Amino acid sequence: MKTHSTKQLLAAALAGERREGRSVGFVPTMGALHEGHLSLLRRASADNDVVVASVFVNPLQFAPTDDFARYPRDLDADAALAAEAGVDHLFAPDVAEMYPRGSIATRVDVGPTGDVGEGVWRPGFFAGVATVCCKLFHIVGPDRAYFGQKDAQQLAVIRQLVADLDLPVEIVGCPTVREHDGLALSSRNAYLDPETRRAAPALAAALMAARDAAAGGEGSAAELRWIVEACLEAEPGIHLQYVDLFDPATFSARERLDGRGVLAAAAYVGGTRLIDNVEVVSPAQQPELAAEPAAGAGAGMNAGAGMKRGAA
Ligand code: AMP
């Protein structure tokens, strides 16, 4: 594996790969790689001749009060893990390489998809994500790019970006990788201390309780929200910021589940903000599900099946 810190060096290396007619898979990341990232890298490696990964903590998607300065960074460890997962070219530019004039005036406007869910709490976040992904797609020129369902709204934004701007890349969504207790892997889990780590899996458990209720016929978004809230009331160490039901493609908010939806949430454990989501499927769609693995497995994950407001 080669590590490239400039666009020019990466472009020179990829020109050689292209001349040989090799397909290129691309996995953009902010580093501090964990098994979630590695699952994307392995999938890219299985699907393509050449794998490019990027490690870039993108200042454009952080608000001034966010954790940009303290976001975990360890390029040597990332390079070792990436090489092991089958990456051929690691692109690790610094901020000046990506934004040579200090910042950029141009932003990709993602419309209403970026204003709901995470966008309510992180204004401008999805414009920052879409803008850097647009730049990275142009720099790398991949045939396919891989994104995690862990960030379901980001995946919807990227699919919309590629469709709306006719970007010549296929977007591949990959399932969320979780700890044994259901906690979705995240670079920010490094912020958790033993107490907040103990409380953190409650978010996944609450979402999965609502997912089970949806599979059992609960179609009201208000009821599904209530199940998540009720589950989290039992865990004083976690504070729900929002939970909402969204259309998986457009991420418009839904008041009723009709087919498939995404139930997405954010919560604080101490000062650490966690996000997570599950796919919820109404019973009419269940036979289709039989062949698919559950989004998360583990003890205590179906505690909300049959739960009703007032019956808890
Ligand atoms: P990040 O480094 O957090 O920007 O994430 C880079 C990519 O890895 C994004 O497409 C994320 O959705 C994906 N990712 C992060 N955590 C997970 C996870 N637990 N499972 C699957 N994909 C993940």
Side-chain angles (χ1 to χ4, degrees), residues 9 21 46 62 67 92 94 114 124 148 162 177 205 208 210 254 264 268:
L9 288 170
F62 286 77
D67 55 348
D94 63 15
V162 162
V177 177
M208 289 176 195
R254 287 273 187 80
Y268 276 94

Side-chain angles (χ1 to χ4, degrees), residues 101-241:
R101 290 185 300 278
S103 188
I104 51 171
T106 307
R107 293 282 191 289
V108 177
D109 179 354
V110 302
T113 317
D115 295 334
V116 295
E118 281 297 285
V120 171
W121 303 95
R122 305 188 70 186
F125 170 72
F126 288 111
V129 168
T131 303
V132 79
C133 285
C134 204
K135 281 170 71 77
L136 289 167
F137 291 163
H138 283 115
I139 292 164
V140 175
D143 298 285
R144 301 181 189 87
Y146 297 79
F147 289 84
Q149 186 68 36
K150 156 76 165 58
D151 301 286
Q153 190 172 2
Q154 171 172 279
L155 178 57
V157 162
I158 298 297
R159 286 193 196 282
Q160 174 190 285
L161 165 78
V162 162
D164 285 353
L165 301 187
D166 292 308
L167 301 182
V169 54
E170 179 192 337
I171 301 302
V172 182
C174 301
T176 302
V177 177
R178 297 178 181 279
E179 301 276 11
H180 68 281
D181 57 9
L183 175 65
L185 296 191
S186 163
S187 303
R188 290 189 168 97
N189 291 354
Y191 300 151
L192 301 177
D193 61 21
E195 181 52 27
T196 47
R197 175 63 186 82
R198 191 200 54 74
L203 180 60
L207 287 169
M208 289 176 195
R211 179 196 62 186
D212 291 345
E218 183 55 74
S220 155
E223 291 293 332
L224 296 175
R225 277 195 298 268
W226 177 81
I227 289 168
V228 171
E229 287 160 10
C231 289
L232 291 182
E233 264 169 34
E235 174 49 81
I238 189 162
H239 300 282
L240 185 67
Q241 188 174 47

Side-chain angles (χ1 to χ4, degrees), residues 4-6 55-57 59 91-100:
H4 312 277
S5 58
T6 70
V55 169
F56 179 61
V57 184
F91 181 46
D94 63 15
V95 172
E97 177 67 14
M98 289 296 281
Y99 303 115

Side-chain angles (χ1 to χ4, degrees), residues 283-297:
Q285 301 274 324
Q286 289 296 321
E288 280 180 53
L289 263 189
E292 292 175 22

